[in-house]
Amino acid sequence: MSVEKTQIQPIYNIPSMRNYRWSTHLDLLRGLAALLVFLGHMRVLLFIEYSEISNPSFLIKRLNSLTVLGHQSVMIFFVLSGFFISASVIRRIQQKQWSWVNYLVDRLTRLYVVLIPALLLSSFWDFLGIKIFGTGQDSFYGEKFHNGHLATYKILENFTFQNALGTIAFLQTIFVDLFGSNKAVWTLAYEFWYYMLFPSIILFFCVKSLKARIFYACLTSGILLMVGSGIRMYFLVWLMGALVSICHPSKYLKKNNILNSLTILSILILYIALTSERFIPSREIADFLIGTSTAVMIYLLVNSRSQIKQEGAYEKFSKALAGCSYTLYLVHMPILSFIRACVIGDRPWQPDILHLFFAIIIVVFVFLYAAVIAHFTEAKTDKFRNLIMSWIKNRHLNQA
């Protein structure tokens, strides 16, 4: 009976999302997206441009296809974020449990528990690299990145306290530059302001007080004006995930054979969308195709009501990979840059068997490095959150 009730509920009202198998699939998707970003930066830092390779082998072509999906994977992150965050916001507002304090504690502990250690580690690796290798014309830390995609700034020029503070305030790409070598932090400015925008928009329509509506209208408008066109545009991709969260499961997708066939088709379409950028002249259009494909795939996955009865190897692997994905995303770039300065001279590697083997060793090392950091940061998010909430509650009791 409870299953039938869940079937007619909008997706954001589904209780205990973690009990469903589709939640495991989304964990795997999140983890794989972080890996693709990591592998993309690894390729750019360590190897020569694909266009410089004469007669690339089948293996090199496949590896190149796999390691050029970093930016596209961020679109998957945006849709996943829009799906989960919007579901939480709408559910709390509908159940009249909304609190800006609780919401901000939830979001900021999730962000800061990894971001602050990541910035400290960025400072360590960049400072060590600059100290060892200097900032001259022949130094990796004095020159621009060798690759055109990453040659938008110099590590030394952006290794400033102002940029670090701006990143903590989520103002990177808006008022300050990215901090040092940690180019990956650009997405956090997008994410944070989406976290602020979405509840502001929903509350504008939900509150009855005219003063409150004026406040939320001003807040939404102010954020949209401040963040710039790029963040405004990709908010639409984030909202694709939010759209899925307010949809109802379809009664036409109750048959497993139909649902499974459509889900497989949606995965294939997402793969085509991920690789479509080379055929589509506009990156923005390609990104919107990825967002749409991801949202459709998530909707089809969520229509499955298969529940996890016992955690197997797949569930444990997906959960573990997702559990360190945010940390991997934030900490990989500075240590990769330092490794690059240590093992490569003026010319990046050729993608031969020996150097591919070295790259695999580096990938495993950096992944383990991120996993260890995640154990002491990301894995402790709930603990930090509960401590902060307890402190806030105790403070209110003392004031009362």
Side-chain angles (χ1 to χ4, degrees):
M1 190 74 177
S2 60
V3 174
E4 287 301 315
K5 185 179 179 181
T6 301
Q7 288 280 7
I8 60 172
Q9 297 270 341
I11 291 169
Y12 68 79
N13 252 346
I14 295 174
S16 303
M17 287 184 176
R18 287 290 173 188
N19 292 341
Y20 292 99
R21 191 165 298 280
W22 56 262
S23 179
T24 302
H25 301 327
L26 296 187
D27 278 344
L28 180 64
L29 181 64
R30 178 156 57 102
L32 291 177
L35 275 177
L36 288 174
V37 173
F38 166 42
L39 292 175
H41 287 154
M42 181 275 300
R43 178 190 65 83
V44 165
L45 284 171
L46 301 183
F47 291 97
I48 63 172
E49 289 274 18
Y50 180 74
S51 59
E52 298 178 46
I53 304 172
S54 56
N55 300 318
S57 64
F58 176 81
L59 174 63
I60 298 302
K61 289 179 180 177
R62 299 287 73 78
L63 288 175
N64 180 71
S65 299
L66 184 68
T67 56
V68 294
L69 301 177
H71 173 82
Q72 293 89 325
S73 298
V74 173
M75 299 304 111
I76 295 176
F77 279 132
F78 285 165
V79 178
L80 285 170
S81 174
F83 173 71
F84 284 112
I85 301 303
S86 65
S88 172
V89 169
I90 296 171
R91 186 166 56 249
R92 289 183 185 184
I93 292 174
Q94 189 189 56
Q95 295 172 355
K96 301 188 185 305
Q97 296 176 345
W98 175 258
S99 163
W100 272 106
V101 172
N102 292 347
Y103 177 70
L104 288 174
V105 168
D106 283 348
R107 294 299 92 221
L108 290 176
T109 48
R110 168 63 176 165
L111 293 171
Y112 281 143
V113 76
V114 180
L115 176 59
I116 292 175
L119 291 177
L120 292 173
L121 288 166
S122 296
S123 301
F124 170 78
W125 290 116
D126 287 350
F127 177 79
L128 187 63
I130 291 169
K131 195 74 174 175
I132 295 173
F133 300 104
T135 57
Q137 290 296 311
D138 58 344
S139 168
F140 176 74
Y141 288 91
E143 291 283 338
K144 290 184 178 180
F145 283 116
H146 73 275
N147 182 283
H149 175 63
L150 291 177
T152 55
Y153 67 93
K154 295 181 180 179
I155 295 175
L156 180 61
E157 289 179 356
N158 287 322
F159 187 49
T160 67
F161 188 63
Q162 177 183 344
N163 288 347
L165 284 180
T167 301
I168 291 173
F170 306 106
L171 296 175
Q172 65 274 30
T173 72
I174 302 172
F175 295 125
V176 299
D177 291 319
L178 301 173
F179 179 62
S181 62
N182 204 338
K183 187 177 177 67
V185 296
W186 70 271
T187 60
L188 291 193
Y190 287 59
E191 284 282 353
F192 175 76
W193 294 111
Y194 297 159
Y195 294 165
M196 297 299 291
L197 276 169
F198 185 76
S200 298
I201 293 170
I202 298 299
L203 287 166
F204 171 81
F205 291 102
C206 292
V207 295
K208 296 179 180 179
S209 165
L210 178 60
K211 288 183 179 179
R213 286 199 172 187
I214 293 173
F215 169 76
Y216 286 119
C218 292
L219 179 61
T220 302
S221 301
I223 293 173
L224 288 172
L225 286 172
M226 179 190 72
V227 296
S229 60
I231 295 179
R232 286 196 296 269
M233 179 177 64
Y234 283 106
F235 186 43
L236 297 176
V237 175
W238 195 93
L239 286 173
M240 292 177 187
L243 180 62
V244 176
S245 77
I246 64 173
C247 290
H248 287 69
S250 174
K251 62 181 180 180
Y252 301 107
L253 297 175
K254 288 185 178 180
K255 293 185 178 179
N256 285 335
N257 56 343
I258 296 175
L259 181 58
N260 291 340
S261 298
L262 288 175
T263 302
I264 293 170
L265 179 61
S266 72
I267 294 171
L268 177 62
I269 292 172
L270 175 58
Y271 173 76
I272 294 171
L274 286 169
T275 57
S276 67
E277 193 169 288
R278 70 190 76 173
F279 309 111
I280 298 175
S282 169
R283 164 171 273 191
E284 290 75 18
I285 293 175
D287 289 343
F288 274 81
L289 286 175
I290 294 168
T292 304
S293 304
T294 304
V296 170
M297 184 188 70
I298 292 173
Y299 176 72
L300 290 169
L301 286 172
V302 172
N303 268 270
S304 171
R305 286 293 173 265
S306 175
Q307 296 196 10
I308 301 172
K309 297 178 181 177
Q310 185 177 1
E311 274 197 353
Y314 171 70
E315 287 77 19
K316 290 178 181 177
F317 173 78
S318 299
K319 188 177 180 179
L321 186 60
C324 66
S325 60
Y326 176 44
T327 306
L328 176 65
Y329 184 84
L330 281 192
V331 304
H332 73 272
M333 197 65 180
I335 193 171
L336 266 182
S337 297
F338 182 77
I339 291 171
R340 197 267 185 202
C342 290
V343 302
I344 298 178
D346 296 334
R347 185 72 176 161
W349 287 340
Q350 290 282 343
D352 52 46
I353 296 297
L354 178 62
H355 289 115
L356 287 174
F357 176 72
F358 288 157
I360 291 172
I361 293 174
I362 292 171
V363 165
V364 172
F365 171 75
V366 174
F367 182 83
L368 292 175
Y369 161 82
V372 170
I373 296 168
H375 177 73
F376 295 100
T377 57
E378 193 167 356
K380 310 296 184 186
T381 301
D382 288 339
K383 183 178 180 180
F384 282 113
R385 183 178 292 143
N386 292 336
L387 283 172
I388 294 171
M389 287 306 304
S390 296
W391 177 80
I392 291 172
K393 288 177 181 177
N394 289 335
R395 189 180 177 189
H396 285 168
L397 287 173
N398 291 334
Q399 288 177 347

